[in-house]
Amino acid sequence: IKEILTGYGYKVLEAMDGEDALKVFHNNKDKIQLAMLDVVMPKKDGKKVYEEIKKVNSHIKVIFMSGYATDILYKRGIIEEDINFISKPMSPGELLKKVREVLDS
């Protein structure tokens, strides 16, 4: 994902897990336009990370992603149907289209 996005001119900040994602966000909160969060991450899941990020920037745009089947994620209440979501694995075209769509919304 990082290689694809940087190859198209996007600047990407990486995190190792949910807690690290919060640290990266807090250290760069004025520069980040979009957060891409895995639904399931070690130490803190994507939904919890997003809830904390939103407290600092209520207008932050986010794309959730997961390799788990979307119907299972919806049924278990892990994600809601009205969020920006992309399934893994995704093609470079799908990724770039979703990122552009969310940034332009």
Side-chain angles (χ1 to χ4, degrees), residues 13-14 22 64 88 90 101 105:
L13 303 171
E14 289 183 291
L22 286 171
F64 288 97
K88 296 189 301 186
M90 79 267 316
E101 173 188 305
S105 65

Side-chain angles (χ1 to χ4, degrees), residues 12-42:
V12 177
L13 303 171
E14 289 183 291
M16 301 299 288
D17 55 48
E19 288 179 4
D20 190 38
L22 286 171
K23 289 178 193 170
V24 170
F25 174 77
H26 286 293
N27 291 334
N28 298 279
K29 63 183 171 237
D30 296 329
K31 301 173 192 170
I32 297 175
Q33 296 176 329
L34 171 69
M36 293 191 68
L37 302 169
D38 206 317
V39 173
V40 178
M41 295 189 287

Side-chain angles (χ1 to χ4, degrees), residues 26-97:
H26 286 293
N27 291 334
N28 298 279
K29 63 183 171 237
D30 296 329
K31 301 173 192 170
I32 297 175
Q33 296 176 329
L34 171 69
M36 293 191 68
L37 302 169
D38 206 317
V39 173
V40 178
M41 295 189 287
K43 299 188 181 178
K44 196 168 287 223
D45 67 50
K47 190 173 181 180
K48 289 179 183 166
V49 170
Y50 178 58
E51 288 168 1
E52 291 191 36
I53 287 173
K54 259 188 105 160
K55 291 177 187 174
V56 176
N57 179 352
S58 62
H59 301 291
I60 189 81
K61 296 181 180 193
V62 66
I63 297 173
F64 288 97
M65 57 189 158
S66 180
Y68 292 98
T70 54
D71 60 332
I72 292 170
L73 296 172
Y74 291 130
K75 285 179 187 175
R76 292 190 179 173
I78 298 169
I79 58 173
E80 292 101 37
E81 291 192 37
D82 62 340
I83 65 163
N84 293 305
F85 180 83
I86 191 165
S87 293
K88 296 189 301 186
M90 79 267 316
S91 72
E94 290 171 316
L95 173 64
L96 293 166
K97 180 180 177 187

